[in-house]
Amino acid sequence: MVLAIDTCLAASSAAVIDGDRTLASRTEPMMRGHQEALGGVVRETMAQAGVAFADLDRIAVTVGPGSFTGLRVGLAFAKGLATALNIPCIGIGTLDALAEGRDGPRIAAIDAKKDQIYWRAFDGKGLVDPAAQPASEAAEIAKGLFGGSPPLLIGSGSALLIEHFPGAEIVDRPLADPAAVARLGAQADPETAPPAPLYLRPPYATLPDA
């Protein structure tokens, strides 16, 4: 029994799965305010699933890339709840969750603004580590991985990649499915998937020099 939590992008989301069955899933779109909303989203999802917190076996949480503030909210909540319940807390990459459920050559990409995308290429497994790069640079690397076959493009960064992959199919998936996060969390080894934030570039807001 897995509870999944995702606050990395423009929503607060949660899902509960039992094996292969999704018992409940809830997504509340929002650009900010994850901290105020997440507790209610999780409580309502658990109530809809008909599952007590004591029945959970593990918690899965997205670790990024995504919003610096959002991902920290989800991580803090998930780790605190897992500690209270004495169960494992599993960290899942946002790009892995976007790509979950699809087969074959594919790229999960998030529009990272500043003329960059967060991206990762997959073909059965992740072929490269997640990175933040201009779309043109990411495309050149991906072409070396996939050869002449256009990959499936998934996520909000797909529009920035499509010109480099004529004929590629786009999956319009602006958010990760929290049930996908839960499924990946159920399969992951807690020893190799810690709930640690994945930052691919420094935050825009920094402290002034002393």
Side-chain angles (χ1 to χ4, degrees):
M1 196 88 69
V2 181
L3 166 67
I5 293 168
D6 175 32
T7 55
C8 280
L9 301 175
S12 285
S13 302
V16 180
I17 67 167
D18 183 7
D20 295 331
R21 295 188 302 137
T22 300
L23 302 182
S25 179
R26 188 176 183 86
T27 295
E28 294 287 345
M30 61 188 65
M31 294 302 297
R32 53 178 56 90
H34 297 83
Q35 184 169 354
E36 293 79 12
L38 182 57
V41 170
V42 169
R43 285 193 301 271
E44 291 166 13
T45 304
M46 292 290 289
Q48 182 183 348
V51 173
F53 284 97
D55 294 331
L56 293 172
D57 297 302
R58 56 176 56 185
I59 295 172
V61 59
T62 46
V63 297
S67 158
F68 286 93
T69 301
L71 74 87
R72 288 196 298 268
V73 169
L75 279 168
F77 187 99
K79 289 193 289 186
L81 184 57
T83 298
L85 297 172
N86 195 28
I87 57 176
C89 185
I90 313 295
I92 300 297
T94 314
L95 297 166
D96 296 72
L98 284 170
E100 198 272 345
R102 294 282 183 160
D103 297 318
R106 59 203 187 279
I107 297 173
I110 298 168
D111 186 348
K113 310 302 180 185
K114 302 284 185 177
D115 297 320
Q116 290 190 327
I117 58 171
Y118 300 130
W119 74 285
R120 192 180 193 194
F122 300 83
D123 191 359
K125 62 179 181 179
L127 301 179
V128 292
D129 291 334
Q133 290 176 299
S136 59
E137 294 181 12
E140 285 304 309
I141 295 171
K143 286 175 182 178
L145 297 170
F146 297 134
S149 301
L152 183 68
L153 305 178
I154 307 169
S156 63
S158 298
L160 301 174
L161 285 170
I162 189 63
E163 65 179 281
H164 303 284
F165 295 101
E169 179 187 352
I170 288 180
V171 176
D172 185 13
R173 186 177 287 176
L175 301 170
D177 178 358
V181 177
R183 289 190 293 269
L184 290 172
Q187 300 162 10
D189 180 352
E191 295 297 321
T192 58
L198 176 62
Y199 298 133
L200 298 182
R201 65 185 187 191
Y204 299 142
T206 58
L207 293 173
D209 294 333

